[in-house]
Amino acid sequence: MKFEQGKTYIRREIHEQFGGQEQGGISTPANHPIILLFTGKQGEEFGYKDGWTDAGTFLYTGEGQQGDMEFLRGNRAIRDHVKNGKELQLFKYVGREIVEYLGQMMLKDYEYRGAPDVNGNMRKVIVFHLIPIASL
């Protein structure tokens, strides 16, 4: 399956082909050189606020709903994707199971920000600065 920018897909069918975790925003299929990133409005209730900047960078919040975020699991996979030879493929929810392909991304930088966790406690979250491969 080759993804086409702007085209919509059913998330379950993506996982049927590539594997990876079927829930959450960061999916790391073991047998394919890709990392699947999912974003959408539903994450905002957990303090995730993703989106484009005026400079064309996509700000993507790391994973972890309680306490300070750390570079474990999906967060480490994003940080180390170039070193590990993995492509970042970004999708946005446009329906319950429907995602739109936004494109292949590359990590430019990351920062820590303050944000509440699921219990309302302030914590450090990792915000990744992603740039579209097409713009390089």
Side-chain angles (χ1 to χ4, degrees):
M1 178 184 295
K2 179 157 173 33
F3 302 114
E4 292 180 42
Q5 193 161 354
K7 187 174 176 191
T8 57
Y9 299 86
I10 298 170
R11 181 170 177 174
R12 178 179 24 81
E13 292 176 359
I14 295 171
H15 292 294
E16 285 171 2
Q17 173 145 6
F18 294 102
Q21 302 86 336
E22 295 185 29
Q23 295 187 343
I26 303 171
S27 181
T28 53
N31 298 320
H32 296 277
I34 61 173
I35 299 166
L36 305 167
L37 305 177
F38 298 93
T39 186
K41 293 277 186 214
Q42 71 274 21
E44 290 181 10
E45 65 185 283
F46 301 111
Y48 302 105
K49 197 160 178 113
D50 302 340
W52 294 101
T53 68
D54 291 339
T57 299
F58 192 86
L59 302 180
Y60 186 82
T61 308
E63 68 182 1
Q65 295 182 7
Q66 258 183 303
D68 291 341
M69 288 185 183
E70 298 179 60
F71 284 107
L72 304 170
R73 297 174 298 283
N75 294 336
R76 181 175 52 226
I78 293 173
R79 182 193 67 191
D80 298 344
H81 83 96
V82 172
K83 176 176 77 174
N84 294 332
K86 303 265 186 168
E87 297 176 355
L88 298 179
Q89 304 292 349
L90 180 62
F91 297 85
K92 178 181 181 178
Y93 275 96
V94 294
R96 186 161 181 256
E97 290 277 325
I98 311 296
V99 293
E100 177 186 349
Y101 181 58
L102 300 183
Q104 183 179 339
M105 309 298 279
M106 181 174 209
L107 178 64
K108 178 182 178 187
D109 202 359
Y110 63 86
E111 66 180 298
Y112 290 100
R113 292 188 179 176
D117 69 10
V118 291
N119 301 316
N121 299 317
M122 287 305 289
R123 55 147 175 187
K124 285 192 316 188
V125 298
I126 300 167
V127 178
F128 295 99
H129 297 223
L130 307 177
I131 52 173
I133 290 286
S135 70
L136 297 177

